[in-house]
């Protein structure tokens, strides 16, 4: 069983959030997509257990972690391999070497930090990449230090060091939105100074634009911090309702074109109200007097005309609109 997708649709931060909330176990594989087909695509592998990251590498031969140990000069590859094989692979490589005195607790922590952040942090900048998560994949103990980190913490650390945000710009919350806390308690994750300040304004009614102004932080930086809090499952975007927009068409001006300047003259609602029944027939609703009055054009009024007078056909759609207008005038 597996699910796949593209980083252009789902960012790594969003994928991590999904995997942690679902306590997923398996292998997350990410393959970069190159524009130049002659270039070889890079592959990255992240293993999770119940939603927590336990190992990461750019290879599947089980030699990623031991090569890191050897490069640091902490032991030789032969010694590390021999000690690990003696445990029959039942123990994580890091814990196995620590139990043999080849690694200290401090070195193990540094090794895990370099393994996870060195492999994971650069992936947040990817704009083109395909991912899939295999729920059935086993976790290789040869790549494990024995330590783990939540995806939320890995996301926070990875995004803090992110220099190019172009892949995530479209996913940042709007400056007119605010953020609201998902919990009223102090965050379980360690926030930096700016994140803590923005967290204090996570009250669902202060916009990011206002937060940026209050804290003297650039608006774009504020949006990035808010995004980190959101994908770390500490907050959520809150849409703030602004002042209602003025209707495009004013009700009082709906039929403003029916005035003296277009030849219809001033409409008498009470006069037409008495003849509303005529609009239900197939006959023309009204007729215009063939003789011009002496009164100015601005004061002309449309009056019912005897049926013997010359009549003008009027479209049904116009009559229906006119009826609606007159009804509003009568009711008012």
């Amino acid at each position: 069983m597996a699910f796949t997708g593209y980083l252009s649709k789902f960012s790594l931060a969003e994928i991590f959030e999904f995997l942690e909330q679902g306590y997923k176990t398996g292998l997350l594989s990410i393959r970069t997509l190159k524009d130049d087909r002659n270039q070889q695509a890079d592959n990255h592998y992240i293993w999770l257990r119940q939603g927590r990251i336990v190992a990461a590498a750019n290879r599947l031969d089980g030699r990623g972690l031991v090569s890191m140990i050897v490069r640091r000069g902490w032991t030789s590859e032969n010694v590390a391999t021999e000690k690990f094989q003696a445990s029959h692979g039942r123990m994580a490589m890091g814990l196995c070497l620590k139990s043999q005195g080849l690694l200290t607790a401090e070195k193990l922590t540094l090794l895990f930090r370099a393994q996870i952040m060195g492999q994971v942090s650069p992936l947040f900048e990817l704009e083109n990449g395909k991912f899939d998560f295999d729920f059935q994949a086993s976790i290789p103990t040869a790549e494990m230090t024995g330590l783990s980190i939540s995806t939320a913490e890995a996301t926070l650390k990875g995004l803090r060091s992110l220099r190019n945000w172009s892949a995530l710009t479209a996913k940042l919350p709007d400056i007119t939105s605010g953020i609201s806390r998902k919990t009223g308690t102090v965050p379980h994750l360690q926030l930096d100074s700016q994140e803590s300040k923005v967290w204090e304004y996570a009250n669902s009614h202060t916009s990011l634009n206002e937060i940026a102004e209050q804290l003297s932080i650039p608006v774009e930086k504020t949006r990035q911090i808010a995004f980190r809090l959101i994908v770390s499952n500490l907050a959520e975007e809150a849409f703030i309702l602004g002042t209602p927009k003025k209707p495009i068409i004013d009700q009082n001006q709906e039929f403003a074109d029916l005035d003296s300047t277009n030849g219809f003259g001033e409409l008498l609602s009470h006069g037409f109200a008495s003849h509303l029944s005529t609009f239900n027939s197939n006959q023309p609703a009204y007729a215009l007097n063939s003789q011009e009055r002496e009164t100015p054009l601005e004061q002309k009024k449309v009056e019912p005309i005897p049926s013997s007078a010359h009549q003008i056909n009027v479209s049904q759609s116009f009559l229906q609109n006119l009826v609606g207008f007159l009804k509003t005038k009568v009711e008012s």
Side-chain angles (χ1 to χ4, degrees), residues 7-46:
L7 294 180
S8 58
K9 298 295 183 181
F10 301 97
S11 67
L12 180 60
E14 293 169 319
I15 297 170
F16 275 173
E17 183 182 10
F18 166 76
L19 296 176
E20 180 169 315
Q21 290 182 353
Y23 300 95
K24 304 300 183 183
T25 297
L27 171 62
L28 175 64
S29 301
I30 297 177
R31 183 175 184 270
T32 60
L33 302 178
K34 301 293 186 179
D35 294 332
D36 186 352
R37 296 184 179 180
N38 294 325
Q39 291 182 316
Q40 184 178 359
D42 297 325
N43 294 286
H44 306 271
Y45 308 98
I46 304 171

Side-chain angles (χ1 to χ4, degrees), residues 272 275-283 285-286 316 319-320 322-323 326:
F272 276 93
H275 292 81
L276 289 178
S277 59
T278 61
F279 292 107
N280 296 324
S281 66
N282 294 325
Q283 298 298 323
Y286 66 90
Q316 291 296 321
L319 296 180
Q320 290 175 0
L322 189 57
V323 170
L326 295 178

Side-chain angles (χ1 to χ4, degrees), residues 80-136:
T81 302
E82 180 183 349
K83 297 297 184 181
F84 177 68
Q85 290 177 347
S87 69
H88 303 288
R90 292 190 296 265
M91 185 183 297
M93 168 74 82
L95 292 179
C96 177
L97 299 183
K98 179 177 178 294
S99 67
Q100 297 293 326
L102 298 176
L103 292 178
T104 63
E106 182 181 6
K107 288 181 178 180
L108 194 63
T109 301
L110 292 174
L111 183 64
F112 178 71
R113 184 180 302 170
Q115 180 196 45
I116 301 303
M117 302 317 299
Q119 291 290 333
V120 174
S121 294
L123 299 180
F124 287 102
E125 294 187 7
L126 288 181
E127 296 186 55
N128 296 314
K130 183 178 181 180
F131 73 87
D132 69 77
F133 189 81
D134 186 356
F135 295 90
Q136 305 300 324

Side-chain angles (χ1 to χ4, degrees), residues 159 162-165 169 172-173 195 208 218-231:
L159 292 179
L162 194 63
R163 295 184 179 181
N164 183 6
W165 280 80
T169 300
L172 299 182
E195 290 166 351
L208 298 182
V219 174
E220 197 65 15
K221 182 69 174 180
T222 305
R223 295 176 67 200
Q224 295 169 3
I225 295 173
F227 178 76
R228 294 205 296 263
L229 297 176
I230 292 171
V231 295

Side-chain angles (χ1 to χ4, degrees), residues 13-14 16-18 20-23 150-153 155-156 180-183 187-189 191 199 226-236:
E14 293 169 319
F16 275 173
E17 183 182 10
F18 166 76
E20 180 169 315
Q21 290 182 353
Y23 300 95
S150 69
T151 59
E153 186 175 355
T155 296
L156 270 180
S180 61
R181 303 175 184 177
K182 283 192 173 182
T183 174
H188 61 281
L189 298 173
L191 304 180
W199 167 261
F227 178 76
R228 294 205 296 263
L229 297 176
I230 292 171
V231 295
S232 299
N233 204 31
L234 296 177
E236 58 186 355

Side-chain angles (χ1 to χ4, degrees), residues 1 5 31 61 80 82 107 147 161 216 238 248 260 267:
M1 181 180 179
R31 183 175 184 270
D61 59 1
E82 180 183 349
K107 288 181 178 180
L147 304 178
S161 61
S216 298
I248 297 177
S260 59
L267 298 177

Side-chain angles (χ1 to χ4, degrees), residues 211-270:
I211 295 175
E213 184 177 354
Q214 291 291 330
L215 299 178
S216 298
I217 300 175
V219 174
E220 197 65 15
K221 182 69 174 180
T222 305
R223 295 176 67 200
Q224 295 169 3
I225 295 173
F227 178 76
R228 294 205 296 263
L229 297 176
I230 292 171
V231 295
S232 299
N233 204 31
L234 296 177
E236 58 186 355
E237 185 173 1
F239 297 97
I240 301 175
L241 298 179
T243 305
K245 296 181 179 180
K246 185 179 180 181
I248 297 177
I249 300 178
D250 193 311
Q251 291 182 351
N252 295 329
Q253 300 296 325
E254 186 174 4
F255 287 87
D257 59 329
L258 301 180
D259 56 23
S260 59
T261 62
N262 60 22
F264 281 95
E266 182 180 356
L267 298 177
L268 293 179
S269 60
H270 63 274

